[in-house]
């Protein structure tokens, strides 16, 4: 049986607690911790995590709302995104929903509707996401300093998306939901602002909009209000006032609707006394037409009396049902249970309640709850009275809840929670029995992220569903298949020796490779990489088995993908790879969290004695330490995720050019993997558009070896970049030195002479000849030459004499962060112009 979920129930009213417990206890899903006030509950949550919290409203000095806020603070042992359901005695719908949203409560359900609690919990658990009590705010502000101050001041109440143009603001608004739109109209043309406001309100008339306007422009303020703007703030404004105005504007609709609903509740209560007699009469009529089936049985289980509700429940007529056996209508698998209950009642048990399935006239199976009770009259005739209630919908909700707790909603496969349970169970079995051999298969789809990003998440979901179906067709039911998350899957093979497990894994690889996936435009194929490890008596630690399969999976990826690798202790790559994987995940998180720092190294123009442009160099900040590319790029290559790095560098570099005029032109290094990624060009175009940076300010660099490996694709990408207006440079040219002919095939504007030739050119005549040759051939093809490793004055002077166009190296300047670079520019220029 699956491990039960821990549920914390907090309610000061004993009767209300028991109502909730009776509703949930038959699910057999939850282990319930029952407490009467929130202070006791907080003591529990300081010591342990729970899977779900159900709270009343009046639960001690800390009410249910503030108790929820405490959970969301992240100060307790339980995760801050633990699902929370609030059950007040009664509530006004809109007020409750509005307040719940502010306090990040997952659902609010009045006690009177406790019968649908299983369905509510099923929905809450299946849509369990990270909660935030902040409202979404879209900010249009051209001034980065002002925007930063506003974002910082509003951070407690609002999650802000910042844009710098009206077009981008409208695009963001159409793609996302925002509680409020904040527009700085002081730096935007009046007509542009009015047009933006009109477009927003055309799509969403109830949208809250606040504008920042000039202090004296009363006419303009009036025009904006007439257009439908919610409120405005005049410059110079106080940030605290701006926060208050935004908060009121964002919640205006909720307040207005809530007050209307509250007034309606009051009116309903005022009418309730007048309609009491009519309501009582209606209840009497309902009782006369009871939906519960009532029966009388004799000692042999023969039906002697039955009410009309039987026909509605089962479809059988009353006349044909009388004098038949109740067991005739019960599904075979429940007959032993029914017989046992009847015997217990006849033996003296006062009553018994149980669940079973009965047959409908159409053949369908219906879940019902039966209550049996023994009655003895004066003549000692034994009579069993029974009531039968239709619980089919409730039972289906319970089964759905069980399914959701253990299955992935997209693919229908078992989920990560169930995987952890079963892996522990398999390992326990193997540990206790010497001859048992199980196997763990860990699967990752190759390049699935590209499908998701280029075809869209909907097509990606279809691929995952088809892959899950392929697994079901090629893996027998005795084995367990799981979706771990994203495009990662696992299979636990029961009682399978290593050789057979390896053959099954190869079969999975072939099935996915040979399957054609279809989209609206075309069909395509994908592949997968698989890591395999054994579960035996000597290898029965769940964490170690999972780690082994993970290592084996990434070895499979490194060996070329679309293959199976079996974990082996003799594989000398394991310890290095394991360290690399852990470091790679840290690097990936740092990039996702924008923990990067860009340094800029000047490229010197020998002919004009000035700085031609700057090369952008990436550093990461991990654990407050500056990490250099040679420390993190190999780890990203191991995870095949260098595009994430290049994506971040492109975005932040273009943003820096927009913010700092000193960076009149910058060059960016691209990895070979990203350079041929179809997502690259749209990302570059989007960043240039968002930050309004001219394309000629950006130079892209890729190494000579990467260019040669796929010449046709490289030519196509350089052509697109040139058409966009960007420049292009071939980095480290000359390392292969069989590539002079490639220069005329690549439409690049710059050629970087490999630094290994430049460094020793004054001591090695061959290196000097190579530098001259690359410089001459570059000029003959109308390209600029750039020399790396300019480390001293002698090399600087020699390159200038040879006629090299640009130089780069420590003699000119080390790479510096932008703030340090600004202070050093005057010194750099004065020293080099004196040479």
């Amino acid at each position: 049986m699956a491990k039960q979920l821990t549920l914390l129930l907090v309610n000061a009213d004993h009767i209300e607690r028991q109502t909730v417990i009776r509703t949930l206890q038959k699910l057999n899903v939850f282990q319930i911790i029952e407490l009467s006030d929130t202070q006791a509950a907080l003591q529990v949550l300081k010591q342990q995590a729970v899977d779900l919290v159900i709270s009343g409203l009046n639960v001690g000095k800390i009410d249910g709302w503030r108790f929820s806020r405490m959970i969301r603070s992240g100060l307790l042992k339980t995760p801050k995104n633990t699902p929370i359901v609030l059950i007040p005695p009664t509530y006004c719908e809109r007020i409750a929903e509005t307040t719940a949203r502010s306090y990040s409560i997952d659902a609010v359900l009045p006690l009177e509707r406790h019968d649908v609690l299983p369905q509510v919990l099923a929905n809450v658990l299946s849509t369990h996401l990270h909660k935030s009590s902040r409202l979404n705010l879209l900010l249009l502000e051209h001034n980065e300093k002002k925007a930063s101050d506003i974002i910082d001041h509003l951070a407690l109440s609002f999650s802000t998306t910042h844009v710098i143009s009206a077009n981008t603001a409208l695009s963001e608004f159409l793609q996302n939901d925002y509680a409020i739109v904040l527009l700085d109209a002081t730096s935007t043309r009046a007509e542009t602002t009015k047009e933006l406001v009109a477009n927003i309100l055309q799509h969403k008339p109830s949208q809250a909009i606040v504008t920042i306007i000039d202090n004296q422009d009363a006419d303009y303020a009036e025009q904006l209000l007439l257009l439908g703007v919610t409120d405005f703030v005049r410059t110079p404004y106080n940030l605290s006032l701006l926060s208050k105005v935004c908060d009121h504007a964002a919640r205006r609709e909720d307040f207005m609707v809530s007050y209307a609903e509250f007034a309606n509740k009051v009116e309903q209560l005022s009418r309730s006394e007048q309609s009491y007699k009519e309501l009582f009469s209606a209840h009497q009529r309902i009782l006369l037409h009871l939906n519960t089936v009532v029966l009388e049985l004799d000692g042999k289980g023969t039906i002697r009396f039955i009410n009309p509700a039987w026909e509605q429940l089962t479809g059988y007529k009353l006349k044909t049902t009388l004098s038949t056996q109740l067991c005739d209508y019960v599904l075979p698998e429940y007959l032993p249970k029914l017989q046992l209950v009847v015997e217990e009642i006849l033996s003296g048990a006062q009553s018994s309640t149980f669940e079973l399935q009965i047959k409908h006239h159409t053949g369908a199976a219906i879940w019902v709850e039966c209550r049996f009770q023994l009655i003895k009259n004066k003549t000692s005739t034994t009579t069993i009275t029974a009531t039968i209630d239709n619980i089919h919908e409730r039972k289906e909700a319970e089964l759905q809840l069980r399914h959701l707790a253990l299955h992935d909603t997209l693919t229908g496969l078992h989920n990560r929670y169930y995987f952890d349970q079963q892996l522990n169970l398999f390992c326990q079995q193997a540990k206790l029995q010497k001859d048992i051999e199980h196997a763990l298969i860990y699967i990752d789809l190759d390049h699935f992220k590209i499908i998701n990003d280029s075809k869209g998440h909907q097509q990606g979901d279809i691929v995952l569903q088809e892959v899950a179906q392929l697994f079901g067709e090629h893996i027998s039911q005795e084995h367990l298949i799981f979706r771990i998350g994203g495009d990662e899957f696992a299979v636990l093979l029961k009682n399978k020796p290593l050789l057979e497990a390896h053959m099954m894994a190869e079969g999975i690889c072939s099935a996915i490779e040979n399957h054609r996936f279809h989209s609206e435009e075309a069909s395509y194929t994908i592949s997968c990489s698989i890591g395999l490890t054994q579960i035996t008596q000597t290898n029965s630690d769940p964490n170690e088995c999972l780690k082994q399969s993970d290592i084996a999976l990434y070895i499979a990826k490194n060996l070329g993908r679309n293959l199976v690798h079996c974990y082996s202790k003799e594989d000398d790559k394991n310890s290095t790879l394991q360290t690399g994987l852990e470091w790679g995940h840290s690097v990936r998180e740092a990039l996702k969290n924008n923990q990067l720092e860009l340094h800029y190294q000047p490229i010197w123009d020998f002919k004009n004695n000035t700085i031609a442009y700057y090369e952008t160099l990436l550093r990461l900040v991990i654990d407050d330490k500056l990490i250099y590319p040679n420390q993190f790029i190999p780890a990203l290559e191991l995870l095949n995720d260098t595009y994430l790095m290049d994506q971040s560098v492109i975005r932040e570099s273009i943003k820096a050019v927009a913010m700092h005029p000193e960076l009149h032109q910058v060059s960016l290094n691209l990895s070979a993997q990203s350079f041929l990624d179809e997502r690259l060009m749209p990302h570059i175009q989007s960043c240039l558009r968002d930050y309004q940076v001219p394309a000629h300010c950006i130079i892209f660099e890729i190494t000579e070896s990467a260019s040669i490996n796929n010449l046709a694709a490289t030519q196509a990408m350089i052509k697109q970049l040139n058409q966009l207006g960007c420049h292009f440079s071939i980095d480290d040219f000359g390392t292969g030195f069989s590539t002079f002919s490639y220069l005329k095939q690549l439409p690049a504007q710059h050629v970087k002479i490999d630094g290994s030739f430049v460094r020793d050119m004054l001591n090695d005549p061959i290196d000097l000849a190579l530098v001259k040759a690359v410089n001459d051939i570059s000029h003959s093809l109308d390209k600029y030459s750039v020399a790396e490793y300019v480390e001293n004055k002698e090399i600087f002077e020699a390159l200038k004499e040879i006629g090299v166009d640009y130089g780069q190296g420590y003699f000119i300047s080390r790479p510096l962060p932008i703030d340090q670079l600004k202070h050093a520019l005057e010194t750099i220029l004065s020293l080099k112009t004196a040479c």
Side-chain angles (χ1 to χ4, degrees):
M1 181 177 128
K3 180 182 176 182
Q4 291 185 312
L5 303 176
T6 304
L7 185 151
L8 177 62
L9 173 61
V10 188
N11 197 309
D13 191 304
H14 176 75
I15 295 176
E16 292 182 10
R17 290 201 306 274
Q18 291 306 306
T19 300
V20 173
I21 290 171
R22 281 197 302 271
T23 305
L24 298 180
Q25 63 185 359
K26 295 175 185 177
L27 300 180
N28 198 24
V29 171
F30 299 107
Q31 177 186 353
I32 300 175
I33 302 173
E34 179 186 358
L35 295 171
S36 60
D37 84 358
T38 46
Q39 286 178 280
L42 288 174
Q43 292 304 315
V44 171
L45 295 180
K46 289 175 184 177
Q47 303 298 322
Q48 70 174 82
V50 299
D51 298 300
L52 185 68
V53 175
I54 296 179
S55 173
L57 189 56
N58 298 317
V59 281
K61 293 183 178 179
I62 302 175
D63 60 34
W65 302 115
R66 293 186 294 157
F67 175 57
S68 302
R69 179 59 63 85
M70 188 68 179
I71 294 173
R72 294 291 180 241
S73 70
L75 298 172
L76 307 174
K77 284 287 186 182
T78 199
K80 65 180 180 181
N81 61 338
T82 300
I84 305 172
V85 176
L86 189 70
I87 302 185
T90 184
Y91 79 141
C92 177
E93 290 84 351
R94 187 57 176 253
I95 293 176
E97 291 166 6
T98 302
T99 313
R101 192 160 60 246
S102 297
Y103 285 85
S104 298
I105 292 171
D106 298 82
V108 180
L109 184 74
L111 185 66
E112 63 197 45
R113 298 185 58 203
H114 67 86
D115 57 312
V116 299
L117 184 58
Q119 294 96 309
V120 171
L121 296 187
N123 290 333
V124 166
L125 289 173
S126 65
T127 57
H128 182 199
L129 301 171
H130 179 74
K131 304 295 179 195
S132 172
S133 61
R134 298 191 299 168
L135 299 174
N136 291 328
L137 182 145
L138 176 61
L139 170 64
L140 171 57
E141 172 57 71
H142 295 275
N143 186 296
E144 290 284 343
K145 177 64 171 61
K146 288 183 182 178
S148 178
D149 291 342
I150 291 172
I151 292 169
D152 289 344
H153 198 81
L154 300 183
L156 188 62
S157 300
F158 295 96
S159 174
T160 302
T161 299
H162 173 219
V163 296
I164 60 175
S165 73
N167 288 338
T168 308
L170 182 58
S171 176
E172 278 290 331
F173 173 80
L174 294 176
Q175 296 179 55
N176 302 287
D177 291 327
Y178 292 96
I180 185 168
V181 177
L182 177 57
L183 310 175
D184 187 345
T186 62
S187 56
T188 305
R189 290 191 310 110
E191 292 307 313
T192 302
T193 301
K194 291 177 184 177
E195 183 180 355
L196 176 59
V197 169
N199 284 332
I200 288 174
L201 294 178
Q202 181 182 357
H203 286 90
K204 187 179 179 183
S206 63
Q207 177 63 50
I209 303 176
V210 173
T211 56
I212 300 171
I213 64 170
D214 290 327
N215 186 35
Q216 303 300 324
D217 203 346
D219 291 339
Y220 189 27
E222 181 181 3
Q223 292 169 17
L224 291 175
L225 291 175
L226 289 173
L227 275 174
V229 167
T230 310
D231 208 341
F232 63 88
V233 177
R234 297 181 300 168
T235 57
Y237 55 85
N238 181 285
L239 284 172
S240 297
L241 173 63
L242 178 64
S243 176
K244 185 180 297 183
V245 169
C246 288
D247 188 73
H248 288 172
R251 302 180 187 273
R252 178 190 62 166
E253 185 186 6
D254 281 333
F255 292 149
M256 293 173 67
V257 176
S258 296
Y259 291 150
E261 286 188 354
F262 186 75
N264 186 48
K265 287 280 183 180
V266 172
E267 184 180 356
Q268 289 176 8
L269 289 172
S270 67
R271 294 198 304 262
S272 63
E273 186 174 356
Q274 300 174 9
S275 60
Y276 174 76
K277 290 184 179 180
E278 290 84 351
L279 185 61
F280 177 78
S281 178
H283 286 174
Q284 291 300 308
R285 289 194 298 272
I286 291 172
L287 290 174
L288 290 173
H289 297 85
L290 190 64
N291 287 328
T292 298
V293 177
V294 180
L295 307 95
E296 281 190 5
L297 310 175
D298 64 14
K300 296 180 180 179
T302 303
I303 300 173
R304 299 196 308 204
F305 168 81
I306 194 165
N307 70 336
W310 174 259
E311 289 188 7
Q312 184 179 353
L313 177 65
T314 66
Y316 291 101
K317 298 296 183 181
L318 297 182
K319 290 183 179 180
T320 58
T321 303
L322 287 170
S323 301
T324 60
Q325 298 287 311
L326 179 59
C327 61
D328 295 339
Y329 305 94
V330 175
L331 265 60
E333 56 264 37
Y334 297 99
L335 287 175
K337 186 174 185 178
L338 175 62
Q339 186 62 40
L340 178 61
V341 170
V342 171
E343 290 175 359
E344 289 176 348
I345 291 292
L346 294 175
S347 299
Q350 291 298 310
S351 63
S352 180
T353 302
F354 59 101
E355 296 172 358
L356 51 76
Q357 284 183 292
I358 62 175
K359 293 177 285 190
H360 191 270
H361 179 67
T362 60
I366 305 170
W367 278 103
V368 297
E369 182 179 70
C370 302
R371 298 179 185 86
F372 281 18
Q373 188 171 3
L374 181 65
I375 297 177
K376 288 187 177 181
N377 57 24
K378 296 179 180 179
T379 61
S380 298
T381 303
T382 300
T383 300
I384 299 175
T385 63
T387 60
I388 299 177
D389 285 302
N390 186 342
I391 60 166
H392 193 75
E393 290 187 6
R394 190 196 81 194
K395 196 68 178 179
E396 287 294 313
E398 292 175 12
L399 296 174
Q400 180 190 13
L401 181 60
R402 285 179 176 275
H403 185 84
L404 286 171
L406 302 176
H407 290 78
D408 170 53
T409 54
L410 176 65
T411 62
L413 300 177
H414 295 298
N415 60 13
R416 178 60 188 260
Y417 173 74
Y418 192 56
F419 169 73
D420 291 336
Q421 286 187 333
Q422 292 302 305
L423 178 60
N424 285 333
L425 183 61
F426 272 51
C427 289
Q428 289 172 10
Q429 290 175 347
K431 190 173 185 178
L432 296 174
Q433 299 182 44
K434 182 178 180 181
D435 298 329
I436 280 187
E437 281 186 81
H438 303 312
L440 169 59
I441 292 177
Y442 207 73
I443 306 167
D444 183 85
L445 302 183
D446 297 330
H447 302 304
F448 176 76
K449 192 175 189 301
I450 295 177
I451 296 174
N452 237 8
D453 292 339
S454 61
K455 305 292 183 182
H457 288 280
Q458 185 176 4
Q459 183 62 34
D461 288 348
I462 293 172
V463 169
L464 293 175
Q465 289 169 333
E466 290 190 38
V467 167
Q469 186 175 347
L470 285 174
F471 289 155
E473 293 171 358
H474 290 82
I475 301 171
S476 59
Q477 292 185 355
E478 64 183 303
H479 309 301
L480 297 174
I481 311 169
F482 309 85
R483 183 186 177 205
I484 302 301
D487 62 335
E488 295 182 356
F489 300 85
V491 183
L492 283 171
L493 300 176
K494 191 173 184 178
N495 298 321
K496 282 289 179 186
L498 186 60
L499 180 58
E500 292 184 33
H502 196 282
M503 292 175 64
M504 288 188 67
E506 291 283 3
I508 294 170
C509 255
S510 299
I512 293 178
E513 181 186 16
N514 295 328
H515 182 77
R516 297 203 68 81
F517 297 88
H518 299 277
S519 67
E520 294 179 359
E521 303 86 9
S523 62
Y524 50 91
T525 60
I526 62 172
S527 61
C528 70
S529 301
I530 297 181
L532 169 64
T533 191
Q534 276 186 299
I535 301 173
T536 62
Q537 190 175 50
T538 57
N539 191 44
S540 57
D541 180 81
N543 292 328
E544 185 61 29
C545 289
L546 186 57
K547 187 183 296 183
Q548 291 173 5
S549 65
D550 193 33
I551 291 172
L553 169 64
Y554 281 98
I555 291 178
K557 284 185 174 292
N558 273 358
L559 293 175
R561 302 174 181 269
N562 194 25
L563 52 82
V564 179
H565 183 84
C566 182
Y567 176 82
S568 169
K569 291 183 179 179
E570 286 71 36
D571 193 336
D572 58 4
K573 295 181 182 178
N574 288 355
S575 59
T576 304
L577 185 63
Q578 183 176 335
T579 303
L581 288 174
E582 293 172 356
W583 176 237
H585 289 305
S586 298
V587 170
R588 180 190 281 168
E589 286 304 307
L591 286 168
K592 287 181 178 178
N593 296 327
N594 210 33
Q595 298 169 217
L596 53 88
E597 183 176 300
L598 297 183
H599 290 196
Y600 301 92
Q601 187 172 27
I603 310 297
W604 187 259
D605 185 334
F606 287 115
K607 295 178 182 177
N608 297 312
N609 282 329
T610 188
I611 295 171
Y613 60 94
Y614 301 86
E615 180 172 358
T616 305
L617 300 167
L618 173 65
R619 283 85 173 97
L620 293 182
V621 181
I622 301 178
D623 297 332
D624 297 325
K625 296 179 181 177
L626 207 61
I627 310 299
Y628 289 82
N630 63 326
Q631 297 173 274
F632 62 77
I633 288 181
L636 284 175
E637 290 174 340
L638 183 64
L639 294 174
N640 289 282
D641 209 1
T642 54
Y643 177 75
L644 177 63
M645 171 185 67
D646 290 342
Q647 187 182 42
S648 302
V649 172
I650 291 169
R651 182 185 63 251
E652 294 303 317
S653 297
I654 293 176
K655 180 180 178 181
V657 171
M659 294 176 61
H660 305 288
E662 296 84 358
L663 300 175
H664 54 275
Q665 190 177 40
V666 297
S667 65
L668 317 176
N669 290 286
L670 295 176
S671 65
Q673 179 190 19
S674 297
F675 191 65
L676 302 180
D677 194 311
E678 61 185 24
R679 297 169 291 173
L680 178 64
M681 184 58 65
H683 180 64
I684 294 171
Q685 292 172 318
S686 174
C687 291
L688 291 173
R689 182 176 60 253
D690 289 347
Y691 294 105
Q692 299 180 357
V693 171
H696 65 79
C697 295
I698 309 300
I699 302 171
F700 290 101
E701 297 187 13
I702 189 170
T703 61
E704 171 200 13
S705 56
S707 305
I708 294 170
N709 286 339
N710 197 333
L711 183 60
T714 302
Q715 286 175 316
M717 181 58 77
I718 295 176
K719 184 177 180 181
Q720 290 182 56
L721 288 170
N722 286 339
Q723 289 173 346
L724 187 62
C726 300
H727 292 187
F728 189 81
S729 175
I730 301 172
D731 198 7
D732 297 337
F733 187 81
T735 50
F737 212 72
S738 59
T739 56
F740 276 123
S741 62
Y742 289 105
L743 279 181
K744 65 181 181 180
Q745 299 181 53
L746 298 176
Q749 290 78 25
H750 300 78
V751 178
K752 271 196 171 182
I753 306 169
D754 186 75
S756 61
F757 304 142
V758 177
R759 179 186 293 156
D760 294 325
M761 59 179 277
L762 299 182
N763 302 316
D764 189 328
I766 294 177
D767 284 347
L768 179 61
L770 291 175
V771 170
K772 290 179 178 180
V774 175
N775 180 62
D776 290 341
I777 198 70
S778 298
H779 288 167
S780 68
L781 295 173
D782 198 26
K783 303 180 190 297
Y784 294 102
S785 58
V786 186
E788 300 178 306
Y789 285 89
V790 183
E791 305 300 309
N792 54 54
K793 183 177 181 180
E794 290 76 17
I795 293 177
F796 182 90
E797 295 288 356
L799 291 169
K800 186 174 182 179
E801 184 178 344
I802 290 171
V804 172
D805 297 301
Y806 303 136
Q808 176 182 6
Y810 282 4
F811 175 71
I812 299 167
S813 173
R814 290 177 175 270
L816 298 170
I818 185 62
D819 292 337
Q820 295 182 30
L821 180 65
K822 288 180 179 180
H823 290 98
L825 279 178
E826 186 176 346
T827 303
I828 294 170
L829 289 168
S830 63
L831 290 176
K832 302 306 171 297
T833 51
C835 292

